Amino acid sequence: MAKSINFVFLILALLAFAPLCLCHVNTFGGYLYPQFYDRSCPQAQQIVNSVVSKAVAREARMAASLVRLHFHDCFVKGCDASILLDSASGIISEKGSKPNKNSIRGLEVIDEIKSELEKQCPHTVSCADIMALAARDSTVLAGGPSWVVPLGRRDSKGASLSGSNNNIPAPNNTFQTILTKFKLQGLDIVDLVALSGSHTIGNARCVSFRQRLYNQSGNSKPDPTLDQSYAATLRTRCPKFGGDQNLSFLDLVSPTKFDNSYFKNLLSFKGLLSSDQILVTKNQVSFELVKKYAESNEVFFEQFAKSMVKMGNISPLTGFKGEIRSNCRKINA
């Protein structure tokens, strides 16, 4: 009996001195918590924010690029910085996949952040955590919501080109295909609609939406769900042949401001990508969510923050899994 009492007191004593943290347990296993670097690299978040702020000040589009980089990483093998790896012995880079080739951006910003962190806290902050923080800071700098980022991810020692080609939702995927890709990551229809709201900033290439303008269903006719005056404007930037890399704003109303105008555009049938517009035309639940977010910027911001935390916790490498890369582009020697 005495031993049992002593054991209880020991547990209570350990809990009393344990650091307080709001730990997040991922569906797929692993623990992340916001205070992860409080002792090992207390200036980590400040360094990330400083570099991201300068990058977005130089080019407003970079905010969207850094959010997209985090998204494209998490949907392949989890949030493990696999997208940053260059091709090397035994590694085929995800940068050459269809969703990333000629479009993935922000790599130099991540390199700059990593370089600064290695000077201050060598071998401490993972590239995966850098991307999670950069996505949050980019959103805030564009006028969007903030959220507390759970930390403690480690970096993968490999990449998956096939995963990048198959897991990331494509502009011309059907609604059900996109929803299935989200569900495979532990995300639901609410996350799908809220995270699509990141298209309130940034650009898309002509090759991503040309089909809607000229041959949506293989009948040489434009997408009937696209506002025709808007379509005419888009055709001046995106010809039937050539101009694949020509850019158009994802949100024609406030292209550099993070707000809910993206959802208002969808209700006016002025979503740029097919994957945007089908949120209104192909599913009643997603349509109701679009209306909800179009009516309230605050409601959209609140859900976007929740869904970003949820996405950022897809299959993290923790503990002794993976590594902390010294250079985000290659595994440690």
Side-chain angles (χ1 to χ4, degrees):
M1 183 68 177
K3 287 184 178 179
S4 297
I5 293 172
N6 287 338
F7 178 74
V8 171
F9 275 117
L10 175 61
I11 294 298
L12 290 173
L14 287 172
L15 288 172
F17 288 100
L20 179 65
C21 75
L22 301 172
C23 297
H24 184 99
V25 184
N26 182 264
T27 310
F28 302 92
Y31 294 84
L32 304 177
Y33 56 96
Q35 300 85 355
F36 190 84
Y37 297 111
D38 280 7
R39 293 184 182 178
S40 60
C41 191
Q43 64 272 55
Q45 297 203 40
Q46 182 184 346
I47 290 171
V48 174
N49 184 266
S50 175
V51 176
V52 171
S53 295
K54 287 185 286 185
V56 173
R58 286 194 301 267
E59 182 193 16
R61 183 187 173 200
M62 187 54 67
S65 298
L66 290 170
V67 173
R68 184 174 185 261
L69 188 64
H70 183 43
F71 179 91
H72 280 215
D73 179 52
C74 290
F75 266 61
V76 184
K77 297 171 71 265
C79 307
D80 61 359
S82 62
I83 194 172
L84 302 177
L85 289 170
D86 289 336
S87 292
S89 178
I91 295 174
I92 302 176
S93 177
E94 294 169 17
K95 296 170 188 175
S97 71
K98 191 172 181 180
N100 294 333
K101 190 175 182 180
N102 297 324
S103 69
I104 205 70
R105 304 175 77 251
L107 302 171
E108 296 80 6
V109 178
I110 303 299
D111 288 341
E112 185 180 348
I113 295 169
K114 184 61 176 174
S115 177
E116 288 300 313
L117 285 169
E118 285 300 303
K119 292 175 189 174
Q120 297 296 323
C121 319
H123 318 302
T124 302
V125 183
S126 70
C127 302
D129 277 345
I130 290 172
M131 281 196 290
L133 289 168
R136 188 270 311 276
D137 292 350
S138 294
T139 301
V140 174
L141 287 164
S146 184
W147 58 91
V148 177
V149 180
L151 300 166
R153 301 166 190 80
R154 288 167 66 84
D155 302 322
S156 70
K157 296 182 180 181
S160 176
L161 181 64
S162 62
S164 187
N165 277 317
N166 297 323
N167 297 1
I168 298 171
N172 289 310
N173 279 163
T174 65
F175 179 86
Q176 194 54 52
T177 297
I178 294 173
L179 182 59
T180 298
K181 288 181 177 182
F182 269 74
K183 285 183 175 179
L184 287 172
Q185 305 299 339
L187 303 173
D188 59 26
I189 193 167
V190 176
D191 302 311
L192 163 56
V193 178
L195 292 173
S196 295
S198 64
H199 285 178
T200 181
I201 54 174
N203 305 69
R205 297 175 299 151
C206 168
V207 69
S208 300
F209 59 87
R210 175 184 284 123
Q211 181 177 332
R212 297 193 73 202
L213 302 178
Y214 303 102
N215 190 27
Q216 175 68 359
S217 303
N219 57 2
S220 298
K221 293 183 179 179
D223 185 347
T225 68
L226 180 63
D227 178 86
Q228 292 309 299
S229 63
Y230 180 43
T233 301
L234 290 174
R235 279 191 283 269
T236 65
R237 294 284 304 144
C238 184
K240 196 169 186 177
F241 303 103
D244 284 6
Q245 304 303 314
N246 291 355
L247 298 174
S248 290
F249 291 124
L250 284 159
D251 174 358
L252 74 161
V253 175
S254 52
T256 61
K257 183 181 180 184
F258 199 104
D259 57 23
N260 67 340
S261 61
Y262 162 82
F263 296 105
K264 295 175 183 177
N265 295 339
L266 297 187
L267 295 175
S268 300
F269 299 97
K270 294 179 181 178
L272 180 62
L273 305 179
S274 174
S275 55
D276 294 321
Q277 198 60 59
I278 57 177
L279 298 180
V280 162
T281 60
K282 297 297 183 181
N283 184 276
Q284 187 63 32
V285 175
S286 65
F287 174 50
E288 293 300 329
L289 287 166
V290 168
K291 287 200 296 183
K292 182 179 174 181
Y293 301 146
E295 289 167 4
S296 173
N297 209 50
E298 185 179 348
V299 172
F300 165 47
F301 277 19
E302 183 180 352
Q303 185 56 54
F304 184 81
K306 288 178 182 176
S307 294
M308 283 297 287
V309 171
K310 192 173 173 183
M311 185 191 79
N313 283 275
I314 297 173
S315 305
L317 297 174
T318 57
F320 295 102
K321 296 176 183 177
E323 63 181 10
I324 305 297
R325 288 186 217 141
S326 297
N327 179 333
C328 290
R329 293 175 182 260
K330 58 185 181 181
I331 61 173
N332 297 335

